[in-house]
Amino acid sequence: MHNYSFPDENGFFGQFGGTYVSETLMAALDELRHAYAAAKQDPAFWAEYHRDLRHYVGRPSPVYHAERLSQHLGGAQIYLKREDLNHSGAHKINNTIGQALLARRMGKKRVIAETGAGQHGVASATVAARFGMECTVFMGADDIERQAPNVFRMKLLGAKVVAVDSGSRTLKDAMNEAMREWVARVDDTFYIIGTAAGPHPYPELVRDFQCVIGEEAKTQMTELIGRQPDVAVACVGGGSNAIGLFHPYIAERAVRLVGVEAGGLGLNHHAQHAAPISSGSPIGVLHGFKSYLMQDEHGQVSATHSVSAGLDYPGIGPEHSHLHDIGRVEYTAVNDDAALSAFHDLCHFEGIIPALESSHALAWAIANAPQMSPEQVILVNLSGRGDKDINTVAKLAGIDLN
Ligand SMILES: *Cc1c(COP(=O)(O)O)cnc(C)c1O
């Protein structure tokens, strides 16, 4: 692993990734690839990125020893990387800041984004306002109904929200529509993708912008305990918070890496989870890249389910599929019930309301810590805060907040 260096020049992580798009989109991606290659080598670009992360986002985010929770479990010590404390409430802003700076460098005055739960739409609208850019967010018509507070947030921040009526009227369709819009207005428009997926170079650049999580964590763990954790664990939707934590640890072979997919109602329930790798899904192509992908027996993309809207995606970023193939990261799934229980545990023992997405990673730690010794350490990426989820949690408890 000491010479792990992906993607290759064609955007492949082993057999995954690539650029499976129409001719018209190819030109836009070429322009982006060249612009990012130049920015990546430019110290001034990264200086600006880090300045905004410090003064606007509030980084570095702390690492916190969840002592009461660890004591209650009676095994390994649980530490939390507090991405929930970032401005706008999650890790997503690390990426949207980076892409907005890239858009500005490319002279684009307008950004577009796709969103499912609305979190990436909010993070995109936030940076568009910050940089004085026009912002349009594509969102499935069903999601607009389900995520009314986030739709209102985007509008408060000055974004236009476009309802997508095609297909299943959710994230997958919103992403198709955003790609179509990008082709039509590539001259003035930059497409901000919300996770470490999509055609090359998106999986690479989103990863690079999220690696700040793992880089900070390495320094912080050394300061806190004088070494690295035994396990680092993160939830995986498209895979951006997880790759941000994992990538800087790939060469640290002593650190076990665990990616937690959304098990929904259980992996034996067809289309009732969002766990492409742990359910053993075949390889397929969606949204311009090749990866493990949930499909039915005819190769059609499956419906998905998760209690956490942010994990509800049938695919997974290509680098995760590769890290699974080479055995560097273990992928597993946590069901809705266990995630909800972890959500309540963190509220109760630590006074922290976690996002339901992050609660999946937490649930893995809660299940595994008791089998480990008190000298061992699990680092959990707490990818976001749970304020956005209180309606969901209340509803599941039979409480009507309105
Ligand atoms: C969007 C989101 C996720 C899932 O996205 P990844 O790209 O897999 O990180 C996880 N946690 C939170 C809080 C999110 O908002």
Side-chain angles (χ1 to χ4, degrees):
M1 305 287 168
H2 53 278
N3 53 8
Y4 179 97
S5 170
F6 292 98
D8 65 21
E9 67 275 20
N10 295 315
F12 279 93
F13 303 82
Q15 60 173 324
F16 305 102
T19 321
Y20 296 86
V21 300
S22 64
E23 200 76 15
T24 38
L25 206 53
M26 212 62 187
L29 288 165
D30 276 342
E31 186 194 357
L32 177 62
R33 199 162 40 78
H34 284 119
Y36 184 59
K40 194 166 173 165
Q41 303 302 322
D42 182 357
F45 177 78
W46 293 105
E48 242 190 321
Y49 163 78
H50 283 291
R51 198 183 51 190
D52 255 50
L53 289 189
R54 183 178 171 89
H55 297 284
Y56 187 66
V57 176
R59 301 202 74 94
S61 66
V63 168
Y64 167 73
H65 183 191
E67 242 177 311
R68 280 206 348 113
L69 178 63
S70 306
Q71 233 162 43
H72 164 74
L73 295 168
Q77 302 305 310
I78 296 176
Y79 285 73
L80 307 174
K81 178 63 173 160
R82 300 287 310 273
E83 293 300 297
D84 60 310
L85 293 176
N86 292 339
H87 175 49
S88 78
H91 68 291
K92 287 199 168 73
I93 191 115
N94 304 329
N95 170 46
T96 56
I97 289 275
Q99 291 198 50
L101 286 170
L102 192 55
R104 194 173 68 179
R105 190 183 164 101
M106 293 171 75
K108 311 285 184 186
K109 302 255 183 314
R110 174 176 181 256
V111 296
I112 58 171
E114 85 293 336
T115 199
Q119 295 303 108
H120 175 58
V122 169
S124 298
T126 300
V127 298
R130 157 77 184 84
F131 291 105
M133 292 165 171
E134 204 186 301
C135 178
T136 300
V137 178
F138 293 87
M139 191 166 183
D142 284 0
D143 287 338
I144 287 184
E145 255 171 54
R146 288 188 292 201
Q147 311 289 343
N150 270 342
V151 174
F152 189 57
R153 268 182 203 115
M154 287 180 245
K155 289 180 177 166
L156 286 174
L157 293 163
K160 194 174 130 198
V161 180
V162 175
V164 176
D165 256 320
S166 56
S168 57
R169 302 168 24 124
T170 58
L171 174 61
K172 172 164 68 65
D173 316 288
M175 199 154 174
N176 287 332
E177 197 55 36
M179 285 186 170
R180 256 194 294 278
E181 170 77 5
W182 193 29
V183 170
R185 284 195 53 180
V186 67
D187 286 347
D188 71 341
T189 297
F190 186 102
Y191 178 20
I192 302 184
I193 289 188
T195 190
H200 180 57
Y202 282 104
E204 175 188 358
L205 65 86
V206 175
R207 174 198 72 196
D208 292 349
F209 294 139
Q210 292 294 0
C211 272
V212 66
I213 300 172
E215 281 155 10
E216 283 177 6
K218 282 174 91 168
T219 307
Q220 291 165 317
M221 291 314 292
T222 303
E223 286 165 7
L224 282 166
I225 60 167
R227 65 179 181 91
Q228 295 309 321
D230 298 279
V231 190
V233 55
C235 65
V236 184
S240 69
N241 87 88
I243 202 67
L245 178 66
F246 295 164
H247 195 265
Y249 277 113
I250 287 174
E252 308 265 340
R253 294 308 309 262
V255 180
R256 185 178 163 200
L257 303 175
V258 179
V260 182
E261 297 182 315
L265 302 183
L267 297 189
N268 48 340
H269 294 257
H270 175 71
Q272 292 297 326
H273 59 78
I277 292 185
S278 20
S279 68
S281 300
I283 293 168
V285 170
L286 179 68
H287 299 139
F289 68 104
K290 187 187 277 186
S291 199
Y292 290 109
L293 176 64
M294 288 171 59
Q295 301 162 61
D296 67 15
E297 62 274 28
H298 307 293
Q300 296 295 315
V301 178
S302 298
T304 52
H305 161 80
S306 170
V307 69
S308 70
L311 300 183
D312 210 345
Y313 182 65
I316 182 165
E319 191 159 15
H320 288 289
S321 290
H322 180 61
L323 288 166
H324 168 69
D325 272 14
I326 64 174
R328 180 61 188 95
V329 179
E330 296 161 48
Y331 293 86
T332 182
V334 156
N335 293 0
D336 288 353
D337 287 349
L340 263 170
S341 161
F343 173 97
H344 288 294
D345 283 346
L346 200 68
C347 293
H348 178 79
F349 286 105
E350 300 293 347
I352 298 171
I353 303 177
L356 282 173
E357 291 84 3
S358 324
S359 301
H360 286 70
L362 207 55
W364 186 92
I366 288 170
N368 286 271
Q371 280 93 264
M372 295 167 66
S373 84
E375 287 74 45
Q376 290 183 296
V377 169
I378 302 174
L379 175 63
V380 177
N381 201 14
L382 202 70
S383 54
R385 70 178 79 127
D387 306 48
K388 68 184 179 60
D389 294 317
I390 59 170
N391 281 301
T392 305
V393 173
K395 210 165 157 188
L396 288 166
I399 301 162
D400 185 5
L401 294 183
N402 300 310

